[in-house]
Amino acid sequence: MLPVLTVCAALVALWYLGAVWMNWQLVADAQARAGAAPDLAEMVRLTLAQPRPLLPAPHQVVAELWRSTMTLPVTSRRSLVHHAWVTLSAALAGFGMGVAFGVALAVAIVHIRALERSVMPWIVASQAVPVLALAPIVIVALGALGLEGLLPKAIIAAYLCFFPVAIGMVKGFRAPDAMALDLMRTWSASRGQVFWTLRLPASLPFLFAGLKVAMAAAVVGAIVAELPAGAQAGLGARLLAGSYFGQTLQIWSALAMAALLSATLVGLLGLAERAVARRMGPRA
């Protein structure tokens, strides 16, 4: 715990130094126009208390996060809880779609050898397409078909999160050693029996590793999908509005909320992984 706290304290100290350095000229120009000549301590205090800083100080981000989550009703369009829920709903929908598609694709690749050479290169190549370029295309195309709202954002999130699940599960399904597979064959086990009793249990560590990456990617995908959609709600819309009006505190508080959201979801997956590991025993 001590090393973690030490690293966190160092990062916070660097953040404060960066805030002072980046906001110094703003304060100096404002004081020069006012004809004031503050000392060093006052200058540092002013750089850490700017209403529209170039780089907000940590305490400013925390204060804005508290104000926009705890002091506003959750139904308010200015509440980060409201925006986080909009993003979370799209991320979870995309996560479910991406995981289902990734697992199904991995099962097909493992059982149909030809698919590994024909499909796997396309799976890898799909991730070379920048999501910032793909998102507007998907949003516009689905909007022309009358599909708006949650579904386009969920598809973008699914596009980002199916890849780690598919790759991880292919590796996991092939994790059992050859001797175990030969033993199952000597018992005349069917493909289904081999899958459920051998391949699936062996793939669980790979599954949860892929799920954690996919969950974080799903949140990113949902936020990115909100940027070109002209969305009125969601963390992506909050970021976009903050950038339009130069509200850096709004931008950073939305980023902090997105990070907290991702960390919470990944943490819940970690708890589920431990529960499954205890249920499966040392093998898992």
Side-chain angles (χ1 to χ4, degrees), residues 195-274:
F195 177 81
W196 291 108
T197 61
L198 188 60
R199 292 190 187 275
L200 184 60
S203 70
L204 289 179
F206 299 88
L207 172 63
F208 279 104
L211 290 180
K212 291 176 183 177
V213 177
M215 181 59 80
V219 175
V220 172
I223 292 174
V224 170
E226 290 168 350
L227 298 180
Q232 300 300 313
L235 295 178
R238 189 76 171 168
L239 290 170
L240 201 59
S243 66
Y244 283 158
F245 298 104
Q247 298 289 342
T248 51
L249 288 176
Q250 178 178 314
I251 295 172
W252 279 82
S253 63
L255 288 174
M257 176 60 78
L260 289 173
L261 188 63
S262 295
T264 301
L265 294 172
V266 172
L268 292 175
L269 285 174
L271 294 177
E273 182 181 14
R274 293 192 194 98

Side-chain angles (χ1 to χ4, degrees), residues 90-100 154 157-158 161 165 210-212 214-216 218 269:
L92 290 179
F95 177 75
M97 294 164 57
V99 169
C161 71
V165 175
L211 290 180
K212 291 176 183 177
M215 181 59 80
L269 285 174

